[in-house]
Amino acid sequence: MADANAAVAVVTVSLVLLGLLSGLSLSWALLPVAVVVLIFVLASGLKGRDELAHLNVCVLVLGDIGRSPRMQYHALSLSRHGYNVTLIGFLGTKPHQDIIEDDRIDILPISELKGLTVGPRIFRYASKVIFQSFQLFYVLMKIEDQSYILMQNPPGLPAIAVAWAASRFRGNQFIIDWHNYGYTIMALTHGENHFIVKLAKWYEKLFGRFSDNNLCVTNAMREDLRKNWNIEATTLYDKPPPIFRETPLKLQHELFIRMGSTYLPFRPSPDVTKEYMELTAFTEHNTQTGAVTRSAGRPALLISSTSWTEDEDFSVLLRALEGYYYYYYFSPYTLLCGPMPLFGPQKEYYKKLIDSKEFHHIKICTPWLEAEDYPVLLGSADLGVCLHKSSSGLDLPMKVVDMFGCCLPVCAIHFQCLHELVKHEENGLIFNDSKELSEQLKLLLSDFPSDQGKLGIFRKNLRESGQQRWDENWDHNVLPLIKEHCD
């Protein structure tokens, strides 16, 4: 760990430089110096650490808690081992019900501040960072004593520096969980050579070194952190929790009935009626015997969950479906494509693109699902498609982890370290473009719904793989780090 006094000096100088670069006068740019001095005075008067502080852990994400599953899993794992968790983040999407009902987990919401709306763009961005810094620092200093602050990165600006400063003042240990690099995500919008991107990279690289421990999502990222950032990290692969599993037919039918009340593709054909049978597009429920069976000639259910962001080109799937459509033009075959849209920046663009397509036997549905229904739908699907291309090439898509937990074979677009998760021709297929994906869809679905082809083989391999679950993985890799300081 870097020397605290030297690090504080670096923080202060950095804030002054940021203020000058943002166009502030020298007197205003020196304001951070006064703030840091004041903080040290306040910190020196803080009460001694609570005797039970070793049982408290703060889990921090400067983003939507509901859209941060890995941090929710951290919180649940800590609670399972007897720790009291303060989960800090934005309350946008509803967190998982297990989080809400856990007595040991206290959700502390913070506001998503926007900054000033007038002035130069750099000044508006700087004001947002400053406002968020003060809010976050206040919250971290206000909560009861914690043994650890466990923070997600990205987003790390300004959370890394603020969380580190608060941990030093309060005597906490500070862990960064590296999901990706924030500056590479910003580069998708601004370009690699933009001033803001370069500044973010410098910030992330500098302040990331101040943490006491680090976690990361792949061995490739661990090596990159060590080689290029001088940061030692422990690889904690994303693993599916128990809620991601193959869904029993009865639960599938119940979900399809609920979804059919809102989304037409889940309803049976109006030409099909059967006495004493409750029907969906995929299942049949005998109301006299209670038996649930799959519908004869049912469509394949293809799932491609997305957040409508720049690191996922959804048009790749649409072009692949076009090729697949013309291949099966004279066939009665039906395919339902069901992405799970979050409120991402490119949602409206792709919605218009989807609406422009006319596929007679391909029905595209874009439902929004509650956290409890999403794993049920994954466990009911026949094939998953992943369009995530890592901005850094060093992280792995959690959606594929969840799909594998449901024994759902996957077609995934290629990037640098994808092989750490998707084994080509073993648990799925890797493609490079829409043409290749189209050929894979033809191959995997040509004999559907038979389970004797490649699709059935991939699912069988996933069932027999004995894949590790989140709890076992976390206990092995993270619990020792926590116990080292807490006990």
Side-chain angles (χ1 to χ4, degrees), residues 153-425:
N153 181 68
L157 183 65
I160 296 179
V162 175
W164 164 78
S167 68
R168 294 292 79 87
F169 296 145
R170 303 203 61 173
N172 312 141
Q173 293 287 293
F174 179 36
I175 297 179
I176 299 176
D177 189 0
W178 298 83
H179 298 194
N180 200 348
Y181 296 142
Y183 79 90
T184 63
I185 296 176
M186 296 176 67
L188 293 174
T189 302
H190 302 291
E192 295 181 4
N193 296 319
H194 194 282
F195 167 73
I196 289 292
V197 175
K198 291 183 177 180
L199 181 64
K201 181 178 181 180
W202 168 84
Y203 163 90
E204 209 167 4
K205 191 171 185 178
L206 173 66
F207 291 102
R209 296 172 182 168
F210 295 161
S211 58
D212 299 292
N213 283 297
N214 296 273
L215 304 172
C216 63
V217 294
T218 64
N219 285 331
M221 178 169 281
R222 181 188 65 187
E223 182 60 22
D224 190 75
L225 284 167
R226 184 194 64 78
K227 182 177 179 181
N228 298 318
W229 297 51
N230 196 29
I231 292 174
E232 296 294 333
T234 298
T235 301
L236 178 71
Y237 282 117
D238 284 319
K239 299 290 182 179
I243 58 173
F244 288 96
R245 65 188 192 281
E246 290 186 84
T247 304
L249 266 178
K250 185 175 183 294
L251 290 181
Q252 290 186 32
H253 180 76
E254 292 172 357
L255 176 65
F256 294 150
I257 287 290
R258 293 201 307 273
M259 296 191 70
S261 65
T262 306
Y263 305 105
L264 286 174
F266 287 89
R267 300 176 190 174
S269 169
D271 300 328
V272 178
T273 57
K274 294 184 179 181
E275 191 176 9
Y276 305 119
M277 297 294 273
E278 183 183 48
L279 306 176
T280 73
F282 305 93
T283 54
E284 299 179 355
H285 172 223
N286 188 312
T287 56
Q288 288 191 319
T289 66
V292 177
T293 56
R294 301 185 191 277
S295 302
R298 68 185 178 90
L301 177 54
L302 185 152
I303 300 293
S304 180
S305 55
T306 181
S307 53
W308 305 120
T309 51
E310 291 83 356
D311 59 359
E312 290 182 332
D313 185 356
F314 202 73
S315 64
V316 171
L317 176 56
L318 295 178
R319 290 194 298 271
L321 289 176
E322 283 183 336
Y324 179 86
Y325 168 71
Y326 290 115
Y327 179 76
Y328 279 107
Y329 186 77
F330 297 105
S331 168
Y333 189 88
T334 303
L335 173 71
L336 183 139
C337 169
M340 306 304 109
L342 302 172
F343 298 99
Q346 296 188 319
K347 178 181 177 181
E348 291 306 316
Y349 167 77
Y350 284 117
K351 284 280 285 180
K352 291 179 181 178
L353 199 58
I354 290 171
D355 292 341
S356 70
K357 304 297 180 183
E358 294 185 2
F359 299 137
H360 298 296
H361 62 275
I362 298 176
K363 299 178 182 180
I364 300 179
C365 183
T366 57
W368 166 250
L369 295 178
E370 295 291 342
E372 291 74 28
D373 285 337
Y374 178 61
V376 179
L377 185 60
L378 281 190
S380 308
D382 301 297
L383 177 64
V385 173
C386 177
L387 303 167
H388 171 82
K389 292 193 73 172
S390 170
S391 61
S392 65
L394 300 173
D395 71 312
L396 293 172
M398 182 174 277
K399 67 192 70 179
V400 173
V401 174
D402 297 337
M403 290 173 180
F404 283 170
C406 296
C407 295
L408 179 63
V410 169
C411 293
I413 195 165
H414 176 267
F415 62 86
Q416 180 179 328
C417 66
L418 184 63
H419 65 276
E420 292 189 36
L421 178 61
V422 181
K423 311 300 182 185
H424 188 65
E425 293 284 359

Side-chain angles (χ1 to χ4, degrees), residues 87-219:
L87 181 55
I88 299 177
F90 305 150
L91 272 186
T93 308
K94 177 186 172 185
H96 196 276
Q97 196 64 27
D98 289 348
I99 293 286
I100 296 173
E101 295 176 353
D102 195 311
D103 292 336
R104 291 185 179 275
I105 300 176
D106 180 25
I107 298 177
L108 182 57
I110 54 176
S111 301
E112 187 173 1
L113 303 178
K114 301 298 183 182
L116 300 178
T117 57
V118 296
R121 187 174 182 180
I122 184 67
F123 181 75
R124 285 181 279 139
Y125 184 77
S127 68
K128 175 182 177 180
V129 170
I130 292 171
F131 293 161
Q132 285 184 334
S133 297
F134 277 102
Q135 175 190 221
L136 184 57
F137 188 82
Y138 172 77
V139 169
L140 291 175
M141 296 296 286
K142 180 183 176 182
I143 60 177
E144 60 183 331
D145 285 340
Q146 306 287 314
S147 180
Y148 264 103
I149 297 177
L150 172 58
M151 194 207 87
Q152 171 186 305
N153 181 68
L157 183 65
I160 296 179
V162 175
W164 164 78
S167 68
R168 294 292 79 87
F169 296 145
R170 303 203 61 173
N172 312 141
Q173 293 287 293
F174 179 36
I175 297 179
I176 299 176
D177 189 0
W178 298 83
H179 298 194
N180 200 348
Y181 296 142
Y183 79 90
T184 63
I185 296 176
M186 296 176 67
L188 293 174
T189 302
H190 302 291
E192 295 181 4
N193 296 319
H194 194 282
F195 167 73
I196 289 292
V197 175
K198 291 183 177 180
L199 181 64
K201 181 178 181 180
W202 168 84
Y203 163 90
E204 209 167 4
K205 191 171 185 178
L206 173 66
F207 291 102
R209 296 172 182 168
F210 295 161
S211 58
D212 299 292
N213 283 297
N214 296 273
L215 304 172
C216 63
V217 294
T218 64
N219 285 331

